[in-house]
Amino acid sequence: MRVIGLMSGTSYDAIDAAAADLRLDGSDLVLRPLGTVTEPYESGLREALAAALPPAATTLAEVCRLDTHIGQAFAGAAVRAQRELCDGTAELIASHGQTVFHWTDEGHVRGTLQIGQPAWIAEATGLPVVADFRPRDIAAGGQGAPLVSLVDLLWLRGRPGTPVALNLGGIANLTAPDGTAFDTGPAGALIDAAVRRSTGRDFDADGAMAARGTVHEPLLRRLLDEPYYARPAPKTTGKELFHEGYLRAALTDFASSAGEDVPLRDEDVVATLTRLTARTVADAVRSLNTGGPPGATGSPHTTGPLSASDTRRVTDDPRTSEARRTPDDPCTPDTRRAHDDPRTPDARRTSKAGRVTADRRTPEARHTPDSRRASDARRALDAQPTPAPRPVTEVIASGGGTCNPVLMAMLRAELRGVPVRLSDGLGLPAAAKEAYAFAVLGFLTVHGLTGTDPRSTGARHARVLGSLTPGRGGFPPVPAGAKQPVRLVLV
């Protein structure tokens, strides 16, 4: 089946579209990438969306207008992908939509809202659309996130050793082979905030400001005192914590307590925040090796300054950043932005109480067709050997942060001895991996297969995700008796 996945994250500046051929082959889900396109939001729509997002007040009338306009923007991206990537042969659209609110109440996730009316996509393309992926997991007691972790788990299962999938967007998050998935802390969120504060630009292009700066070790130690880093997984965070106000308060507090009469150079602040991201990600990876609670990093350690050779080790490709920029490069200017976790800042608050609750129904009540599918999925996953705790053997990175050479060099220095690879080299473009992931989730939905792993989301059971909007020909024909895949294979 040829599927187009659509995705827009918390940067809310553009829509990523990824096309793929997907098929089931025994216990394998086989994916052949066909390419990606990026369709920017027009400036007026982006400004209207930003003005309506929490904590700003809005109206139902404005939500209705945004739902229509964003739906039309997603429809435009789908039409373009159908034309440029599929030559008119796509059979299904999977649209994440644009998250505008994720309702949490004392750590419990109560609901979520992604807008971008899928009827506009179905009308423009004539194809059926799967949308609204997150609510079903929440209804089953989960967080509604991270949904991409299931795709990571299927993919990691095909890798030797103990690989970890890492996404560097506004927030950094990782997935381990045992199902552990959590946010490590900021990736680009604080770096971008510092750059906007000092230059008005949106991000540190090519890590240029960080490269001109020097890591301020006392400030780094103060930033590492943030309690979030010591919390065990599962845990999630976002820009409700790591935002420009947080950075401003941290710098003011540091200057006051340290008696700093001379303000820190802007370049030194950006360099220090870049090291903060690298350090917290590396500490989170190391926490997977200890046998203790994953994610709880404890006391920070020091690896020493970044050497010139570390700075030069930007990617596995020895060419300069300019030489690497081809039309297909994930770090070309129009795709270099941070690809954030698609949830809004409020989306990422969770608590242990909100993850798992007892199912008090009678056994007969639980044995519905949907619950049997969930049980089949659980058995398929559990039938695979779960790796015993052992050292991480590689980190496979994706997201806009992979386009920052200084961040990647610092991360490699922090994880010395553990290879850090880009997902591009393994077949999935780093800048559009999430769009491919939602193409996979849409494919699973139309085949009646579950799209979550409760170990990652905290739901009571794995569930079939999303809602279907029919195309001109109704719903896509699928073979009966599809079985839950246990491995993702890229060809």
Coordinates of all heavy atoms in Angstrom, one line a residue, residues 22 106 182 185 189 225 242 288 296 310 336 361-362 365-367 415 431 455 459 465-466 477 484-485:
L22 N 4.3 0.4 1.8 CA 4.3 -0.5 3.0 C 3.6 -1.8 2.7 O 2.6 -1.8 2.0 CB 3.6 0.3 4.1 CG 4.3 1.5 4.7 CD1 3.3 2.5 5.3 CD2 5.3 1.1 5.7
E106 N -3.4 17.5 37.0 CA -2.7 16.9 38.1 C -1.9 15.7 37.6 O -1.9 14.6 38.3 CB -3.6 16.5 39.3 CG -4.2 17.8 39.9 CD -5.1 17.4 41.1 OE1 -5.2 16.2 41.4 OE2 -5.6 18.3 41.8
F182 N 11.3 8.2 26.8 CA 11.1 9.4 27.6 C 11.8 10.6 27.0 O 12.7 10.5 26.2 CB 11.5 9.2 29.1 CG 13.0 8.8 29.2 CD1 13.9 9.8 29.5 CD2 13.5 7.5 29.1 CE1 15.3 9.6 29.6 CE2 14.8 7.2 29.3 CZ 15.7 8.2 29.5
G185 N 15.1 16.1 28.1 CA 15.2 17.5 28.4 C 15.2 18.3 27.1 O 14.8 17.8 26.0
A189 N 15.2 23.7 22.3 CA 14.3 24.7 22.9 C 15.1 25.9 23.5 O 14.7 27.0 23.2 CB 13.4 24.0 23.9
D225 N 21.3 21.5 37.6 CA 20.6 21.3 38.9 C 19.1 21.2 38.7 O 18.4 21.0 39.7 CB 20.9 22.5 39.9 CG 22.3 22.4 40.5 OD1 22.9 21.2 40.5 OD2 22.8 23.4 40.9
F242 N 10.9 24.4 29.6 CA 12.1 24.9 29.0 C 11.8 26.0 27.9 O 11.8 25.7 26.7 CB 12.9 23.8 28.4 CG 13.4 22.8 29.4 CD1 12.8 21.5 29.5 CD2 14.3 23.1 30.4 CE1 13.2 20.6 30.4 CE2 14.7 22.2 31.3 CZ 14.2 20.9 31.4
L288 N 20.5 4.1 31.0 CA 20.0 2.9 30.5 C 20.9 1.7 30.8 O 20.5 0.6 30.8 CB 19.7 2.9 29.0 CG 18.7 4.0 28.5 CD1 18.7 4.1 27.0 CD2 17.3 3.8 29.1
A296 N 16.9 8.7 35.3 CA 17.4 9.4 36.5 C 18.9 9.5 36.4 O 19.6 8.6 36.6 CB 17.0 8.7 37.8
D310 N 37.0 17.2 18.0 CA 35.6 16.9 18.3 C 34.7 17.8 17.5 O 33.7 17.4 16.9 CB 35.3 17.1 19.8 CG 35.9 16.0 20.6 OD1 36.0 14.9 20.1 OD2 36.2 16.3 21.8
R336 N 15.9 22.8 7.9 CA 16.9 22.8 9.0 C 16.3 23.1 10.3 O 17.0 23.1 11.3 CB 18.0 23.8 8.7 CG 19.4 23.4 9.2 CD 20.4 24.5 8.8 NE 20.3 24.8 7.4 CZ 20.7 26.0 7.0 NH1 21.1 26.9 7.7 NH2 20.6 26.2 5.7
R361 N -13.1 -4.5 34.7 CA -14.2 -5.2 34.0 C -14.1 -6.7 34.2 O -13.0 -7.2 34.5 CB -14.2 -4.9 32.5 CG -14.5 -3.4 32.2 CD -14.2 -3.2 30.7 NE -12.8 -3.4 30.4 CZ -12.4 -3.5 29.2 NH1 -13.2 -3.5 28.1 NH2 -11.1 -3.6 28.9
T362 N -15.2 -7.4 34.1 CA -15.2 -8.8 34.1 C -14.5 -9.4 33.0 O -14.3 -8.7 31.9 CB -16.7 -9.4 34.1 OG1 -17.2 -9.1 32.8 CG2 -17.5 -8.8 35.2
A365 N -16.4 -9.1 29.8 CA -16.5 -7.8 29.2 C -15.2 -7.3 28.5 O -15.2 -6.5 27.6 CB -16.8 -6.8 30.3
R366 N -14.1 -7.9 29.0 CA -12.8 -7.5 28.4 C -12.6 -8.2 27.0 O -11.8 -7.8 26.2 CB -11.7 -7.8 29.3 CG -11.6 -6.9 30.5 CD -10.2 -7.0 31.2 NE -10.0 -8.3 31.8 CZ -10.3 -8.7 33.0 NH1 -11.0 -7.8 33.8 NH2 -10.0 -9.9 33.4
H367 N -13.3 -9.3 26.8 CA -13.0 -10.1 25.6 C -13.8 -9.6 24.4 O -14.5 -10.3 23.8 CB -13.2 -11.6 25.9 CG -12.3 -12.1 26.8 ND1 -12.5 -13.3 27.5 CD2 -11.1 -11.7 27.3 CE1 -11.5 -13.6 28.3 NE2 -10.7 -12.6 28.2
L415 N 29.5 11.0 24.5 CA 29.2 9.6 24.4 C 30.4 8.8 23.8 O 30.2 7.8 23.1 CB 27.9 9.3 23.5 CG 26.6 9.7 24.1 CD1 25.5 9.6 23.1 CD2 26.3 8.7 25.3
A431 N 15.2 14.5 9.1 CA 14.3 15.6 9.2 C 12.9 15.3 9.0 O 12.0 16.1 9.3 CB 14.7 16.7 8.2
R455 N 4.1 -0.1 27.1 CA 5.4 0.1 27.9 C 5.9 1.6 27.6 O 6.5 2.1 28.5 CB 6.5 -0.9 27.5 CG 6.1 -2.3 27.8 CD 7.2 -3.3 27.2 NE 7.2 -3.2 25.8 CZ 8.1 -3.9 25.0 NH1 9.0 -4.7 25.6 NH2 8.1 -3.8 23.7
A459 N -0.6 3.1 28.5 CA -2.0 2.7 28.4 C -2.2 1.3 29.0 O -1.2 0.5 29.1 CB -2.4 2.7 26.9
L465 N -5.4 2.8 16.5 CA -5.5 4.3 16.6 C -6.3 5.0 15.5 O -6.3 4.4 14.4 CB -4.1 4.8 16.7 CG -3.2 4.3 17.8 CD1 -1.8 5.0 17.7 CD2 -3.8 4.6 19.2
G466 N -6.8 6.1 15.8 CA -7.2 7.0 14.8 C -8.7 6.9 14.4 O -9.4 6.0 14.8
P477 N -9.4 -1.1 0.3 CA -9.5 -2.6 0.5 C -8.2 -3.1 1.1 O -7.1 -2.8 0.7 CB -9.7 -3.1 -0.9 CG -9.1 -2.1 -1.8 CD -9.2 -0.8 -1.1
Q484 N -0.1 -8.7 13.5 CA 0.7 -7.6 14.1 C 2.2 -7.8 13.8 O 2.8 -8.9 14.0 CB 0.5 -7.6 15.6 CG 1.1 -6.3 16.2 CD 0.1 -5.1 16.0 OE1 -1.1 -5.3 15.8 NE2 0.7 -3.9 16.0
P485 N 2.8 -6.9 13.1 CA 4.3 -7.0 12.8 C 5.1 -6.9 14.1 O 4.7 -6.2 15.0 CB 4.6 -5.9 11.8 CG 3.6 -4.9 12.2 CD 2.3 -5.6 12.6

